[in-house]
Structure formats: C-alpha cells, structure tokens
Amino acid sequence: MTALVRDPIRLPARPGRRPPAAGAASLALRPVLDPPRRAARVIAVFPAALYLEMRGGPEPRVLAVVTSDAGRLPNAVVVVATRREHPFRSVREGGEAFVGDGRIEADGLNVRVRRWWDPSPALGGMQPAALARGLRALEAELTAAGALTAAGPAGEGLVGGGLAGHPDPAALAGACADGDLAGAVEAAERIVGLGPGLTPSGDDILCGLLAALRLVGGAVRHGGTAVWLADWLGAAVTADAGTRTTALAATLLHCAAAGNAGGEVTAVLRCVAGHEPPAAAVRRLLAVGHTSGTDLAHGVLAGCRAALALTSSAAQHAPRVTA
C-alpha cells in the first residue's frame, strides 16, 4: 500500500544559496539569456536597478535587472520585488556575475526568467489622418506638462532636458522631417554621448527618435520612408557608439535602432496610435530619471513629426490606381 503525502515535504536549502527569484525578460535579451551562461561584470547598482556588462559578444552587451516599480528599459529583466524590498542590497559594483541558461547570478542575487515581454509592440495599422490626430494629442499633453511651448515641424518650443538650448536636437528633428539623411546623420553624430550620466541626453533623444521612426513608420500607411530613415540613421549612430558613449547608452541605441523601446516610450507611442488617452503615459515618461524622460519625449515627438511629414510627402507622390 502506497502512502499519500498531502503536504509538500520541505527539502533542506543548499548552504549559501537562495531559491531563484522570478523574472520577466525583454525578448531583446534572448540572444544573451538563452545560450549557456557566461561571465559578466556589475557596472552599476541602484536601489531600483543594477546593470551587468557582458564580456564580448553581440549586442545587447548590457543587461538591466530592475524592480517591478522601476522604469522598464528595453534590455531589462523585471523581478518580482519593489525597491523598498532592496533586492540588490547584496550586489557589489565591480563584482562578478553570470548570465545565461535563463538565469542571472550576481553575488547573492539569483534570478530565473519565467516569462518574456515584447519591447517592440505592434501598433496596428494607421492612416496618416489618425497619426496627425495622435500627434496633436501628444503635443497638447507635452504642452500641458510644461515640456513644450509651441508646436513646430523642426522641434521649436521644446523645454527642459539635458540639451535645452543646444541647436543640434532641433537640427536633427528638422533634417528627419525633410528626409535629409545626410543632415540627420551629421546632427545625430554631434550629440552621441553628449551629456552626463549613464544615459547621456543626446543618446536618450536618439533612442526616442529611432524607436518612433521605426514603430510609427511601420504602422502608418506610406510610412516606408520613415523606416528607411530609421535603418540608416540607426546604423550610423551605432557604428562606433561603444567608443563614444557609456556601455549602457550604446546598448540602448542598438535596441532603439532595432525598434525596441522601454515601457514608458511604447506606452506613449500606443497613445499616438489611438489605443489609449495620452495624459497618464506622458506623465510616466516625463518622470523617468533626472532628464531622461524629457529627452526621450523630445526624441519621440521628433520621430512622430518626421513620420507624419514623410508619410504625407510619400502619399502625395504615390501612384494612383485608376480603373
């Protein structure tokens, strides 16, 4: 006769090992997390996030592990803990780590990926008129939040951010709206790595711009020129980003060039596409970091304006089919 065990038997824990915490990983990290584990280095630790840099290999080379109440970067694994629980308190900056086989290990941290999330959501099909309405709604919310004083195709009226008053963000926005690849590349290369912090302001602007060009351009009718611009501009700014900016910012530029964006950016783009009202999403985006949210918002706005301008131009020159 076989005995029935109704309650699970608790096995003794292995000395010095904690059970793995559950994590939700960006699909952009599959090339890093699926292969066998390899060494990494902890490059920064904060209450709500830690950053690991892989040694060699393709992008993404920097992986973020963030709490559930932190901003969701496109290269992030989100753990089931808040910053008040201090899940990264045992991790030391400069310490050794391992990434792979679906796990992240660093000092006392042990995370097992249990599910995945998409940093490049489909926005659905859009007509140019719908994009124009969504863009006006975004401009209105940015104006209400004090981040925009006047609408303009070249980005006039932008307020705040780490490059406030610098001429190149407006030059970049204007060149993109005109479909001027050479001018856009020149302006973009002047702001790569420009500004302080782990993600300099110039890189944040470029990330918002590239993501908007690719995702909105891919969703709106006649948006092929915007996607083409994202392809070439993304290739230009990522070519030597690893030597011109921080490791984290270089990874985020590679993510944006591929159409991968953080949760706050994709929420705003969904608003532009008409899927939800923009007020709350704009507030969440502007609250990211010290200036990162404002810089990302400026890039998103420039990308959406350029996508609309390029779409309108393409529609005017599109051949008409007659019976």
Side-chain angles (χ1 to χ4, degrees):
M1 181 176 179
T2 304
L4 296 177
V5 180
R6 298 185 180 276
D7 296 318
I9 299 173
R10 186 178 298 276
L11 298 176
R14 293 173 62 183
R17 295 291 299 272
R18 296 181 182 178
S26 164
L27 286 170
L29 293 174
R30 270 202 183 275
V32 173
L33 289 167
D34 280 349
R37 75 174 202 155
R38 57 193 178 100
R41 181 174 64 92
V42 180
I43 59 173
V45 183
F46 300 96
L50 65 87
Y51 300 98
L52 310 176
E53 183 178 11
M54 309 299 296
R55 295 175 178 173
E59 289 287 353
R61 292 185 184 176
V62 174
L63 179 152
V65 184
V66 304
T67 59
S68 57
D69 56 347
R72 181 176 293 194
L73 295 172
N75 61 329
V77 177
V78 185
V79 297
V80 186
T82 66
R83 70 188 70 196
R84 291 187 177 183
E85 297 174 67
H86 304 290
F88 312 131
R89 60 182 175 275
S90 64
V91 183
R92 298 172 294 106
E93 186 172 315
E96 293 292 318
F98 293 93
V99 175
D101 290 328
R103 286 180 180 266
I104 300 114
E105 300 172 72
D107 292 329
L109 181 72
N110 185 4
V111 178
R112 164 70 76 177
V113 175
R114 298 295 185 186
R115 61 188 182 89
W116 299 86
W117 58 274
D118 191 353
S120 182
L123 298 179
M126 266 191 295
Q127 294 295 326
L131 173 56
R133 288 193 297 271
L135 178 56
R136 287 195 297 270
L138 174 60
E139 290 172 340
E141 290 300 332
L142 289 172
T143 300
L148 184 68
T149 58
E156 297 90 349
L158 295 175
V159 177
L163 298 186
H166 195 286
D168 283 327
L172 173 63
C176 288
D178 291 339
D180 177 7
L181 176 60
V185 169
E186 289 178 4
E189 289 187 336
R190 288 194 294 267
I191 66 172
V192 171
L194 190 61
L198 277 175
T199 58
S201 291
D203 302 323
D204 285 330
I205 291 171
L206 286 167
C207 284
L209 170 69
L210 289 170
L213 281 173
R214 181 169 295 282
L215 294 175
V216 174
V220 69
R221 189 180 182 190
H222 302 299
T225 305
V227 176
W228 169 86
L229 182 61
D231 283 338
W232 286 99
L233 184 58
V237 300
T238 57
D240 58 352
T243 63
R244 299 188 59 193
T245 188
T246 66
L248 174 59
T251 286
L252 293 176
L253 284 171
H254 277 274
C255 287
N260 297 320
E264 292 76 15
V265 169
T266 57
V268 169
L269 293 178
R270 283 180 52 80
C271 297
V272 172
H275 297 303
E276 54 192 82
V282 168
R283 286 197 301 271
R284 288 195 299 272
L285 177 58
L286 293 176
V288 173
H290 182 59
T291 64
S292 286
T294 302
D295 293 323
L296 284 165
H298 290 177
V300 168
L301 178 61
C304 290
R305 285 173 167 173
L308 180 60
L310 296 172
T311 295
S312 301
S313 176
Q316 290 175 2
H317 294 90
R320 296 192 178 187
V321 178
T322 58

